[in-house]
Amino acid sequence: MRKALTGLTLVAALALAACGRPVDPATIGGADEIPPGPGLLTGPSGELSHTF
Amino acid sequence: MKRILFGASAAALLLATPGLAQSNAEVMRQLQAMQAQIEALKAEVDSAKAEAAAARTQSAAAETKVTAATAEGGALVSGGKTGVRVSLSGQVNRGVLFTDDGDSTDAFFVDNDNSSTRIRILGEADYDENTTIGTNIEVQFESNSTADVNQNSKRNVGNDNFTQRKLELYVDNKQLGRLTLGQGDTASNGTSEQDLSGTTVIGYSGVTDFAGGLFVRDSNTNALTGLTINKVTSNLDGLSRDDRIRYDTPKFSGFSLATSAVADDRYDVALFYGDRLGDVEVRGAVSYASASASGTANAFDIVNGSVSALHVPSGVSATFAAGTRDTDNQDNDTTFYYGKLGYQTNFFDFGKTAISADLYYGEEFVTADDETFSVGLQLVQNIKKVGAELYGGFRLYDYDDSATDYETLYGVMVGARVKF
């Protein structure tokens, strides 16, 4: 039973890995930080930015 | 008879002629006065028209300026300097937390303390091509934080105001590194929290944040104890944030060093690593922190660290963290271990999906023989277009010591974080 469960888990993990598409590590935010990337009001830079 | 009437009329006309002449002159004067008034009114109307035209021109110019400013990024203020960059960002992170403490179930409408609601304003100016001077103001506003709500306080809990996170200024030089002064991350803060799973908004090594305010229930008496999840768990993440001076070296082959000094003889040093090794993205950190006794607190030392690796093609990640705190005048050496397996991918065009499962074990937080165990599941769905993350998470807390039996505490949280 344990072997069957382990096998099923591995198959499921491999299937998930096969059907997904790679992610960009730069889009992964740190713990307890404002995430990188665009926001509700902001562009690709992720910030409402202005240069004087 | 006709002749008599004609003669009388002629006589009357003759008699009235001087008065008629006088009346005509009066009419002429009145006409001239009215003409003058009409000309004055006309002048006023012309003046008003000119003012209206000027106002329309000014309004159009202002509208053009607003449009141009908005197109540039929305800033409608002017600065006294040139070349200064000002950036505004922040997030709102709200959820619903359901808990079961072994006796009662509760639902709380919360600010998710894994990553609190906050606003950030950055200011930067280049001194020259290698040196940048900057300011960072980041404050949070948590209503009903998961760190505060509990079985006895379910509404209007916590500070009804902004609280500080970062209030700092820095000088950054490409060759010499960065010097930072003010309230912010000490060098060791975050060294237990390197995590590439993409699910930290709902679960990371700081398992406390999920439901930190909840009291643990005594199994025998069925009463709530004085122990909260805040007291029986921690990821021993160095000296946290504080008023400090901090120095960070530049990166060398992915490595950088940092150190900071705080009042009361507190200091720390940390080593960070972040780089891509083939298909594997790696981030890691390790630190040593020392704090002398201050007030009622005992002196302590903390050694802690974490490492996270993401296999980019498959999206599979693994994370590990651990730490220990040695406190003077206490027998217990507080220790924790944390592990997490994650998987993230772009199932949908509108944003990546991340799932993970984690385990936490800690000991000697309150007494020399206590243990805390926690297990969690996390799911995060990103909606890239609007900067949002929808999330759901489960967490179990089990605390034990030799004196008392405690109920296991369960929590489920669903919510959303929207970045702006």
Side-chain angles (χ1 to χ4, degrees), chain B residues 319-343:
Chain B
T319 300
F320 178 74
T324 184
R325 179 176 61 207
D326 179 17
T327 306
D328 287 359
N329 306 317
Q330 288 185 12
D331 293 334
N332 46 324
D333 288 337
T334 307
T335 304
F336 88 97
Y337 303 96
Y338 175 82
K340 186 184 205 180
L341 282 175
Y343 171 68

Side-chain angles (χ1 to χ4, degrees), chain B residues 47-60:
Chain B
S47 172
K49 280 182 178 175
E51 285 176 11
R56 278 197 298 273
T57 305
Q58 198 171 4
S59 173

Side-chain angles (χ1 to χ4, degrees), chain B residues 22-221:
Chain B
Q22 192 176 0
S23 175
N24 285 341
E26 181 63 24
V27 167
M28 284 301 293
R29 276 196 300 277
Q30 288 178 357
L31 284 172
Q32 285 171 351
M34 288 174 68
Q35 182 68 28
Q37 284 179 345
I38 288 169
E39 285 176 2
L41 286 170
K42 186 172 180 299
E44 284 181 20
V45 169
D46 290 342
S47 172
K49 280 182 178 175
E51 285 176 11
R56 278 197 298 273
T57 305
Q58 198 171 4
S59 173
E63 194 174 342
T64 305
K65 195 174 178 182
V66 167
T67 306
T70 305
E72 285 174 13
L76 302 179
V77 293
S78 58
K81 300 283 184 186
T82 57
V84 176
R85 301 179 292 279
V86 177
S87 304
L88 171 69
S89 59
Q91 63 184 24
V92 175
N93 189 2
R94 301 292 301 190
V96 186
L97 172 66
F98 304 93
T99 61
D100 182 344
D101 66 7
D103 181 68
S104 68
T105 57
D106 290 297
F108 306 90
F109 296 93
V110 292
D111 199 282
N112 178 354
D113 197 48
N114 284 296
S115 189
S116 56
T117 294
R118 69 190 66 164
I119 189 168
R120 177 175 64 191
I121 303 169
L122 290 170
E124 274 194 336
D126 295 328
Y127 181 77
D128 57 34
E129 60 182 13
N130 290 319
T131 307
T132 299
I133 296 169
T135 58
N136 182 17
I137 297 173
E138 184 177 311
V139 289
Q140 63 187 2
F141 205 138
E142 292 187 281
S143 171
N144 260 25
S145 170
T146 54
D148 297 322
V149 293
N150 58 60
Q151 293 93 327
N152 299 324
S153 302
K154 301 171 188 174
R155 296 171 50 241
N156 301 320
V157 186
N159 296 314
D160 190 12
N161 51 261
F162 282 110
T163 52
Q164 63 187 7
R165 284 181 57 82
K166 297 176 184 177
L167 306 160
E168 59 190 1
L169 57 89
Y170 57 85
V171 180
D172 190 284
N173 183 277
K174 288 176 184 172
Q175 280 84 40
L176 300 175
R178 173 179 289 204
L179 186 66
T180 312
L181 181 65
Q183 166 73 213
D185 290 331
T186 58
S188 54
N189 194 36
T191 50
S192 286
E193 300 172 354
Q194 304 298 304
D195 190 325
L196 287 165
S197 67
T199 60
T200 56
V201 68
I202 186 64
Y204 69 111
S205 66
V207 297
T208 314
D209 295 349
F210 191 94
L214 270 290
F215 290 103
V216 181
R217 191 175 290 276
D218 186 320
S219 297
N220 297 320
T221 64

